[in-house]
Amino acid sequence: GKQRRIYRWYATPLEILQQLPDAARCMNEGLTLAGLQHQASLLSDTEAARQMQQDEQILFINMQEKRTA
């Protein structure tokens, strides 16, 4: 039968990055945890997911148009 995956805890990629002991070393130059936290606070998780889905749709539409052109 189907196996169910059970997660011990849920976390966003930012939350996981913040838990790393040397998180600053893992980031690109010029990025800070404070800056990422500020950007994350601008949209709720749901709003960010909706925006990402809209952007994906636009991207795929543009890819299809280039393919048929």
Side-chain angles (χ1 to χ4, degrees):
K2 184 177 180 181
Q3 292 184 350
R4 291 185 62 179
R5 182 177 274 191
I6 299 173
Y7 295 95
R8 293 182 184 179
W9 54 279
Y10 297 97
T12 65
L14 177 59
E15 292 169 339
I16 293 170
L17 179 65
Q18 290 172 333
Q19 292 181 357
L20 294 175
D22 56 348
R25 190 177 63 84
C26 300
M27 296 190 307
N28 289 340
E29 191 173 320
L31 287 179
T32 63
L33 282 175
L36 291 174
Q37 289 170 341
H38 173 72
Q39 189 171 356
S41 68
L42 296 176
L43 294 175
S44 72
D45 291 343
T46 305
E47 291 170 330
R50 284 186 181 140
Q51 181 64 45
M52 185 178 71
Q53 288 175 347
Q54 289 174 353
D55 292 345
E56 282 180 346
Q57 288 177 348
I58 292 169
L59 176 67
F60 290 130
I61 289 169
N62 289 340
M63 287 174 52
Q64 288 179 348
E65 288 175 356
K66 286 182 182 180
R67 210 179 265 171
T68 59

